[in-house]
């Protein structure tokens, strides 16, 4: 390609850098589909396990295929003793996202063949990473609270098992379903920053662990998955619904970004935000957190008035905050929940990339000087 044909797009906006059969997004109309199925249908009718099968196989499973996939996932729930010992040695004030990034990287040390990159091997590694990461999060959280690590229960589904390992007691059906919906809505989302990071890394034929580790590092940024924690911090700073107007208008006056709003692709309401809004309202009602939902709703109305003309609407992180709070999760576990779900998408993209790989190697627009004299250090 000649220099004249090369184009520059800051932040790669609008650049098509990969093909996928997993998720389709129409940002103008607010549509998200996984393998052609509307996210709303999956959120209301499917399970996380079925959604992962769909993303990895590009079709819904038969009953027996789903059963077999679920059993394989459950068979992988447990972490090896060495990993649990490592988790118990971590500083109790470490941030969970740093812990997850470190421990997923460490999983490669206990894989006898970490560099095997056939599509089949990548699928097995992905299944294992997906299955054990909930235990990494739950075990670390219990370690920092001075509690015994709870072993996984293979009779439980993905959502129920995580909440059980975290709290040491079986969750209610309502909590399991709510958590499962969060997992479904966060499972995949085109070539977002963390997914791109995963694809870039695996395109060097590095290894699945390195790719997922890079993706975790990307996701924790406040402009990406870390925004859900930012939303909760903002909600905590607003004493009541009546204070929302002044608080948000002050933020706008100070040119602060309102976390949970805006999206590179969506210029209308993120359909995941719509799903999570309904869920947040129900959970807030069930758990006595209606004030949180009402504050969120008031912020959404103010933002609609002030920013809808710029195409800035709630994104997936906005109502996740209320949802996760109502599920009983601590603030610094919000972004880790995004990880648990998004491992499905990252892995699916890694598998797609390995199936038809070409090294990612874009170029830069050099804007520095040319033919500059080398001035010796004594003369500078
Ligand atoms: N609050 C206030 N203003 C905003 C917001 C916001 N949340 N989002 C965008 N804007 C404004 C910017 O200030 C900028 O205004 P200007 O043109 O007057 O300078 C304009 O909209 C465009 O902003 P960019 O950052 O260039 O747009 P981009 O497409 O990169 O934005 C992003 C996407 C980074 C997500 C942005 O909307 C943002 O920072 N949102 C808050 C953080 C957040 O919620 N992130 C989660 C996104 S979803 C996800 O990653 C899972």
């Amino acid at each position: 390609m000649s220099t004249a044909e090369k184009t520059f797009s800051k932040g790669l906006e609008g650049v098509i850098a990969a093909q996928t059969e997993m998720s389709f997004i129409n940002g103008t109309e607010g549509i998200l589909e996984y393998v052609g199925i509307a996210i709303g249908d999956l959120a209301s009718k499917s399970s996380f396990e079925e959604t992962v099968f769909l993303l990895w196989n590009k079709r819904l499973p038969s009953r027996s295929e789903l059963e077999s996939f679920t059993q394989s996932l459950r068979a992988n729930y447990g972490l090896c003793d060495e990993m649990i010992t490592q988790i118990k040695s971590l500083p109790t004030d470490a941030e969970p996202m740093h812990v997850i990034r470190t421990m997923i990287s460490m999983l490669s040390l206990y894989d006898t063949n970490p560099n095997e990159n056939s599509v089949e091997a990548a699928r097995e590694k992905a299944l294992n990473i997906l299955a054990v990461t909930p235990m990494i999060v739950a075990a670390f959280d219990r370690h920092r609270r001075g509690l015994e690590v709870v072993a996984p229960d293979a009779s439980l589904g993905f959502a129920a098992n995580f909440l059980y390992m975290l709290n040491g007691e079986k969750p209610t059906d309502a909590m399991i379903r709510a958590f499962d919906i969060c997992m479904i809505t966060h499972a995949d989302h085109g070539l977002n920053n963390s997914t791109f990071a995963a694809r870039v890394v695996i395109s060097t034929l590095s290894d699945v662990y390195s790719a997922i580790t890079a993706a975790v590092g990307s996701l924790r940024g406040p402009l990406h998955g870390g925004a859900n924690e930012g939303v909760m911090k903002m909600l905590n700073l607003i004493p009541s619904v009546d204070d929302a107007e002044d608080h948000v208008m002050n933020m706008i006056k100070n040119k602060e970004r309102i976390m949970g709003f805006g999206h590179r692709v969506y210029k209308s309401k993120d359909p995941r935000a719509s799903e999570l809004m309904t869920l947040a309202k129900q959970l807030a009602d069930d758990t006595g957190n209606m004030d949180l939902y009402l504050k969120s709703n008031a912020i959404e109305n103010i933002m609609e008035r002030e920013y809808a003309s710029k195409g800035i609407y709630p994104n997936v992180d906005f109502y996740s905050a209320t949802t996760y709070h109502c599920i009983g999760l601590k603030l610094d576990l919000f972004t880790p929940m995004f990880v648990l779900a998004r491992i499905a998408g990252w892995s699916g993209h890694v598998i797609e990339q390995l199936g038809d790989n070409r090294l990612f190697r874009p170029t830069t627009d050099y804007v520095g000087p040319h033919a500059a004299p080398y001035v010796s250090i004594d003369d500078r």
Side-chain angles (χ1 to χ4, degrees), residues 125-367:
K125 292 177 201 311
L127 187 83
N128 183 255
I129 298 170
L130 181 74
V132 298
T133 306
M135 190 169 183
I136 292 175
V137 178
F140 174 69
D141 186 63
R142 291 185 70 85
H143 157 63
R144 69 179 175 171
R145 286 189 280 149
L147 300 171
E148 281 303 312
V149 169
V150 173
D153 181 342
S155 72
L156 301 175
F158 185 90
N161 178 53
F162 169 68
L163 294 172
Y164 166 66
M165 289 188 295
L166 186 72
N167 301 321
E169 56 189 44
K170 300 270 162 74
T172 63
D173 287 347
M175 284 300 168
I176 296 168
R177 185 62 194 138
F179 193 77
D180 209 40
I181 292 172
C182 290
M183 294 295 103
I184 294 168
T185 48
H186 286 80
D188 188 46
H189 203 247
L191 203 58
N192 58 83
N193 191 289
S194 52
T195 300
F196 185 46
R199 284 189 92 128
V200 167
V201 171
I202 203 64
S203 81
T204 69
L205 300 184
S206 175
D207 64 280
V208 175
Y209 299 98
S210 296
I212 304 295
T213 300
V216 176
S218 153
L219 189 78
R220 67 169 292 278
L223 295 188
H224 192 11
N228 56 14
E229 295 181 19
V231 172
M232 195 65 213
K233 285 179 192 152
M234 172 174 68
L235 290 171
N236 284 338
L237 286 173
I238 302 175
S240 75
V241 189
D242 298 337
D243 302 299
E245 175 80 24
D246 284 353
H247 189 93
V248 174
M249 290 313 290
N250 262 332
M251 289 181 79
I252 293 173
K253 203 173 77 198
N254 296 332
K255 301 212 175 309
E256 289 175 56
R257 289 201 175 206
I258 317 295
M259 293 292 117
F261 286 86
H263 199 278
R264 176 62 62 79
V265 181
Y266 292 116
K267 301 304 166 200
S268 57
K269 190 166 175 177
D270 181 335
R272 301 166 300 172
S274 305
E275 293 298 326
L276 291 169
M277 181 176 119
T278 311
L279 187 62
K281 187 176 184 191
Q282 182 62 54
L283 282 177
D285 201 17
D286 292 350
T287 58
N289 282 300
M290 213 51 195
D291 61 320
L292 212 53
Y293 174 77
L294 292 174
K295 276 192 267 182
S296 305
N297 208 238
I299 296 170
E300 183 181 351
N301 291 336
I302 299 162
M303 289 298 284
E304 166 109 35
R305 187 187 70 212
E306 300 293 326
Y307 276 107
S309 58
K310 281 189 160 190
I312 295 175
Y313 289 90
N315 59 48
V316 68
D317 285 319
F318 189 60
Y319 284 102
S320 319
T322 302
T323 306
Y324 288 142
H325 178 83
C326 295
I327 289 175
L329 296 165
K330 280 194 280 301
L331 178 64
D332 63 3
L333 292 183
F334 287 13
T335 314
M337 299 306 100
F338 205 148
V339 174
L340 300 189
R342 188 53 64 83
I343 288 171
W346 294 332
S347 306
H349 280 267
V350 162
I351 293 163
E352 281 188 340
Q353 187 68 34
L354 285 171
D356 184 23
N357 189 47
R358 185 152 196 241
L359 177 75
F360 278 101
R361 205 309 185 185
T363 190
T364 51
D365 177 21
Y366 175 71
V367 292

Side-chain angles (χ1 to χ4, degrees), residues 54-72:
L54 171 70
L55 290 170
W56 290 3
N57 297 282
K58 320 293 160 58
R59 62 178 176 82
L60 287 168
S62 67
R63 203 177 289 279
S64 66
E65 284 172 329
L66 179 60
E67 175 65 20
S68 154
F69 179 72
T70 301
Q71 288 313 325
S72 312

